[in-house]
Amino acid sequence: MRDQYGSLQVLPLGPDGAPATPRTLTHVRAVNATAAGDTTVWTPAPGRRFVLLRVSVEASNTANVYLKDGAAQLTPQVTMTNARGQVVYDFGPAGYRSAAPNNALAVNLGVAAASPGIAVLALGWEE
């Protein structure tokens, strides 16, 4: 592909092999998880999928934390094992596309976290 000046442009490819065009962020979801098990971060509109651009996980407590796409763990795995601090995951310009429509994004804690808990911020869009 060439731009308006005739220069060759490199386009990143998405998982389907089509050019991945950067998308505009339209959804920001935040949750503070304290209970063991799943806490829903993002429930997309009926019939739609969430697409994650970035996820920030901040743990002020030592905890095993991972994100889930519906009932399954996100692939690639987004985990923090017995760690404190902040981790930001960037899924690139095409983002991480949910495996199926109507799947919710959830954070799972291995054990309950004392206050203030585990903060999760998810940025993306729905399609």
Side-chain angles (χ1 to χ4, degrees):
M1 180 175 180
R2 298 191 182 274
D3 65 13
Q4 68 267 27
Y5 305 107
S7 298
L8 185 61
Q9 300 296 304
V10 177
L11 296 176
L13 298 179
D16 60 356
T21 56
R23 295 282 306 261
T24 302
L25 167 66
T26 58
H27 289 70
V28 177
R29 300 287 188 261
V31 71
N32 194 45
T34 56
D38 292 351
T39 301
T40 301
V41 178
W42 184 351
T43 302
R48 298 183 62 92
R49 300 174 193 250
F50 66 82
V51 180
L52 293 175
L53 187 59
R54 286 187 193 86
V55 174
S56 170
V57 179
E58 185 172 351
S60 58
N61 300 287
T62 300
N64 292 333
V65 179
Y66 66 90
L67 295 177
K68 294 174 72 177
D69 177 357
Q73 190 169 344
L74 240 66
T75 302
Q77 293 181 355
V78 176
T79 61
M80 290 180 72
T81 304
N82 291 326
R84 293 182 183 204
Q86 183 179 24
V87 178
V88 176
Y89 299 91
D90 187 335
F91 294 99
Y96 168 87
R97 187 172 183 247
S98 177
N102 304 317
N103 274 0
L105 174 67
V107 58
N108 180 282
L109 305 184
V111 297
S115 182
I118 310 299
V120 177
L121 178 67
L123 309 170
W125 59 88
E126 291 183 7
E127 59 182 32

